[in-house]
Amino acid sequence: MNNRVLSLVLSRLLIALITLVIVSFAVFFATTLLPGDTATILLGQAATPEAVEGLRKAMHLDDPAIFRFLRWIVGLLQGDLGTSYANEMPVADLIGGRFINTLQLAGVTALFSVPIALTLGITAAMLRGSLYDRAVTVLTIGVISVPEFMIATSAVLIFAVYLKWLPALSFANEVTSLTDLLRIYAMPVITLTFVISAQMIRMTRAAVIETLNTPYVEMALLKGASRPRIVFRHALPNALGPIVNAVALSLSYLLGGVIIVETIFNYPGIAKLMVDAVATRDLPLIQSCAMIFCLGYLLLITAADIIAILSNPRLR
Amino acid sequence: MTMTSSETKSDRISGTRLGYRFNIIGMVGLSVILLWVLIAIFAPLIIPYPVGEIVDLDYFGPMSRDFWLGSDYLGRDMLSRILMGARYTVGISLAAVTIACFSGVMLGMIAAVAGGWLDTVLSRFLDALSSIPSKLFGLVIVAAVGSSIPVLILTLSVIYIPGAYRFARALAVNINAMDFITVARIRGESTLYLIRSEILPNIVGPVLADLGIRFVFIVLLLSGLSFLGLGVQPPYADWGALVRENIGGLPFGAPAVMAPSFAIASLTISVNLLIDNLPKKIRDRSE
């Protein structure tokens, strides 16, 4: 590790930080665009003007937007996420347990999809042009070009309606045994695994093919190395960086996926919480959920970039 | 400057006019797209039943001779609703992709030609925008301003401007380094001239291919938002909304649930097939 790598990594982290500030700015101002006065909405039509005025003062609604933004950011940094409009509970309490549920779902999905996707992606690249490779390519393009809810509804139709192996809906709070756990997680995980794997297979395949096209791999071929040896000894170690990069990038698609999957399967996660909050226009809750999602997304893409920098042998 | 969008359409529709040859798969993709566009335009003339009318006594009816795709949760004809839904899905997505690509490509070319701080600020800002996950962006906007068709079109286009910008800027930066641009600069041509007459003609092919891919993303996002109940609002229904309102029929395996999904898939897969099989001349011009 030398100074150049260090400075590249640091500048990437700085960019991520600046991005986070811009993103939080965007999230805050998008949600304050709401037509109508928050105090009036909270107190209802029958409220006296004095009560509305009092609440406006208490909530600092008369301050310029930039001060409210700063107050909100400082609150976030101190772990104060605000109070939900809908049920007066602290947002942090609402989010806590559900956040863990979502993380569990994402973790289990990653556990399944990463090995599957890497195997399929690498083997497809090794056997490029074969029937197997074409089948994998067609399948991944198919999965990528349909909406997530179609994959979810198809999974329900196949596994719950026709084969009757699994329940159609999932509730994570009624777990009594290991088989229960399997049945509850199965459907959301199957759906998400399909969505994530398709992206990951495509990117892994592209990364390996790019390495296979390099002169040193041709050299290995010319000196008579066997095909597995070319792939595992010569190509794969160099493709590792791009592959890990691809994995991190594909995992960021989980965020889009969980929103649909949690809604369709009634999974008590943070995405479902946010969709419900949008329906009730519960702004503090929406803001906090949005920030958590953006932070997760940013972490993953920054990690992907940093891995790409660290694994580049030219910088070592 | 309206040139970009008008050219966009005529090229997509009559690709062979310029002497390009499509292969069979590309032709199939193109025909399915054209079919959906025609359906979107002429939907009111070809639907077998009025969309709002309850015509089947049974709800979630199966496919039959009278109701080709079964009936929905109220007993309305599913085929008619899907044909009408094409108007919203195709129309909104086409409007959004046109706005997104037009603005993104213009900004990208301006940034590449102007360079300097304008380029840096624009790139940094749009990169930050693109690091908000697209569905989340949609959710936040809908939560803030509510959902109507103009808001949807604008939101979808804002979400996809950064991607179009980044793509066009990368292409334009390459062209910008060429000798004929330097010559034009020395001649004293304006930035507007450089963009319109020197850069745009050289990136138009890949930009059109990019437009197709972005169209797929927009269709998927719009369907996703509608599925969550945050997109097109009743009484109108696009394909995503049709899946949402009929999701109750899933345990019975009603055709009303899967049919709109298949409509979406046929459109998006066709666009992908067309783009993948575009003649190399269009696709790889400046790679």
Side-chain angles (χ1 to χ4, degrees), chain A residues 19 30 34 145 148 154 281 297, chain B residues 131 135 143-144 228 258 268 272:
Chain A
T19 310
L34 183 75
S145 21
E148 291 102 342
S154 312
R281 288 195 154 184
Y297 190 71
Chain B
S131 61
K135 270 203 199 69
L228 293 173
M258 291 314 281
T268 50
N272 269 339

Side-chain angles (χ1 to χ4, degrees), chain A residues 21-205:
Chain A
V21 172
I22 300 180
V23 166
S24 54
F25 215 69
V27 167
F28 183 80
F29 283 100
T31 44
T32 47
L33 282 176
L34 183 75
D37 178 41
T38 317
T40 322
I41 293 171
L42 281 179
L43 292 174
Q45 290 295 327
T48 59
E50 291 77 23
V52 171
E53 194 50 43
L55 189 64
R56 287 186 69 86
K57 261 226 177 71
M59 293 177 74
H60 305 286
L61 286 178
D62 293 323
D63 295 357
I66 189 77
F67 286 121
R68 281 186 283 144
F69 173 67
L70 288 177
R71 187 171 291 121
W72 177 65
I73 283 288
V74 170
L76 278 189
L77 291 177
Q78 291 169 343
D80 171 22
L81 303 182
T83 312
S84 159
Y85 288 173
N87 49 13
E88 309 272 313
M89 276 170 68
V91 171
D93 292 354
L94 285 173
I95 287 178
R98 287 177 162 243
F99 182 56
I100 293 170
N101 281 344
T102 298
L103 276 187
Q104 273 172 352
L105 183 61
V108 175
T109 306
L111 211 63
F112 278 101
S113 59
V114 171
I116 295 175
L118 289 189
T119 316
L120 285 175
I122 293 171
T123 46
M126 277 170 71
L127 306 169
R128 178 155 49 129
S130 68
L131 200 65
Y132 168 74
D133 176 37
R134 281 204 211 143
V136 170
T137 310
V138 168
L139 208 67
T140 50
I141 291 184
V143 171
I144 286 172
S145 21
V146 304
E148 291 102 342
F149 60 77
M150 185 175 179
I151 296 169
T153 47
S154 312
V156 172
L157 265 188
I158 295 170
F159 294 110
V161 178
Y162 294 130
L163 298 175
K164 298 196 190 335
W165 288 351
L166 300 162
L169 299 175
S170 73
F171 298 99
N173 44 8
E174 299 166 10
V175 184
T176 48
S177 66
L178 188 68
T179 41
D180 272 3
L181 195 75
L182 270 180
R183 284 160 60 95
I184 284 160
Y185 276 107
M187 208 72 91
V189 169
I190 289 173
T191 309
L192 279 177
T193 303
F194 260 97
V195 175
I196 303 305
S197 300
Q199 298 283 358
M200 221 183 285
I201 290 169
R202 263 171 84 93
M203 287 196 237
T204 311
R205 181 177 171 276

Side-chain angles (χ1 to χ4, degrees), chain B residues 4-282:
Chain B
T4 345
S5 53
S6 66
E7 257 189 20
T8 301
K9 265 187 210 124
S10 63
D11 272 12
R12 264 162 59 100
I13 291 166
S14 58
T16 46
R17 188 195 55 178
L18 304 166
Y20 296 127
R21 285 273 175 277
F22 283 107
N23 61 17
I24 295 286
I25 301 175
M27 285 303 285
V28 171
L30 187 65
S31 344
V32 175
I33 298 165
L34 281 182
L35 183 70
W36 278 125
V37 170
L38 288 177
I39 287 176
I41 296 172
F42 296 110
L45 301 177
I46 51 176
I47 48 173
Y49 302 93
V51 274
E53 210 160 291
I54 296 170
V55 286
D56 193 359
L57 293 173
D58 204 11
Y59 59 95
F60 290 132
M63 296 189 197
S64 61
R65 183 132 50 86
D66 289 337
F67 309 103
W68 289 4
L69 294 175
S71 54
D72 78 348
Y73 72 115
L74 291 176
R76 295 176 290 192
D77 177 46
M78 213 46 216
L79 178 64
S80 311
R81 289 185 71 75
I82 289 178
L83 295 184
M84 277 305 263
R87 298 197 124 189
Y88 301 102
T89 300
V90 176
I92 293 175
S93 307
L94 214 53
V97 82
T98 310
I99 298 175
C101 283
F102 178 73
S103 337
V105 170
M106 282 310 290
L107 289 175
M109 289 192 301
I110 291 172
V113 172
W117 62 268
L118 182 70
D119 186 18
T120 316
V121 170
L122 213 53
S123 298
R124 188 56 56 233
F125 178 71
L126 288 175
D127 269 359
L129 266 195
S130 72
S131 61
I132 303 179
S134 52
K135 270 203 199 69
L136 196 82
F137 203 127
L139 278 180
V140 170
I141 299 283
V142 169
V145 289
S147 184
S148 63
I149 288 177
V151 169
L152 269 179
I153 293 178
L154 272 182
T155 310
L156 291 170
S157 41
V158 168
I159 292 174
Y160 286 101
I161 284 176
Y165 165 85
R166 194 189 283 196
F167 185 79
R169 183 183 165 277
L171 291 172
V173 162
N174 283 340
I175 306 286
N176 199 34
M178 300 228 177
D179 288 343
F180 61 84
I181 299 282
T182 319
V183 172
R185 274 180 205 273
I186 294 170
R187 273 206 315 269
E189 303 288 5
S190 66
T191 306
L192 190 68
Y193 174 87
L194 285 177
I195 288 172
R196 197 188 57 218
S197 308
E198 305 282 1
I199 299 204
L200 185 61
N202 285 296
I203 65 171
V204 92
V207 160
L208 287 184
D210 178 63
L211 182 128
I213 295 168
R214 233 156 277 287
F215 177 75
V216 172
F217 290 152
I218 290 183
V219 169
L220 292 180
L221 180 59
L222 172 68
S223 310
L225 284 177
S226 288
F227 176 76
L228 293 173
L230 305 167
V232 180
Q233 299 295 323
Y236 312 113
D238 70 333
W239 292 336
L242 285 178
V243 178
R244 173 190 172 78
E245 58 185 31
N246 291 311
I247 196 77
L250 192 58
F252 323 122
V257 189
M258 291 314 281
S261 302
F262 279 117
I264 300 170
S266 72
L267 180 64
T268 50
I269 291 178
S270 303
V271 176
N272 269 339
L273 286 181
L274 177 66
I275 302 294
D276 279 353
N277 291 288
L278 276 182
K280 281 254 182 294
K281 244 164 128 184
I282 301 182

Side-chain angles (χ1 to χ4, degrees), chain A residues 8-9 12-13 15-16 241 244-246 248-249 298-312 315, chain B residues 127 166:
Chain A
L8 271 174
V9 170
R12 193 62 196 80
L13 286 176
I15 288 174
V244 178
N245 179 31
L249 273 185
L298 207 57
L299 276 179
L300 281 170
I301 52 180
T302 307
D305 278 1
I306 290 179
I307 289 162
I309 294 171
L310 289 182
S311 67
N312 188 345
L315 294 175
Chain B
D127 269 359
R166 194 189 283 196

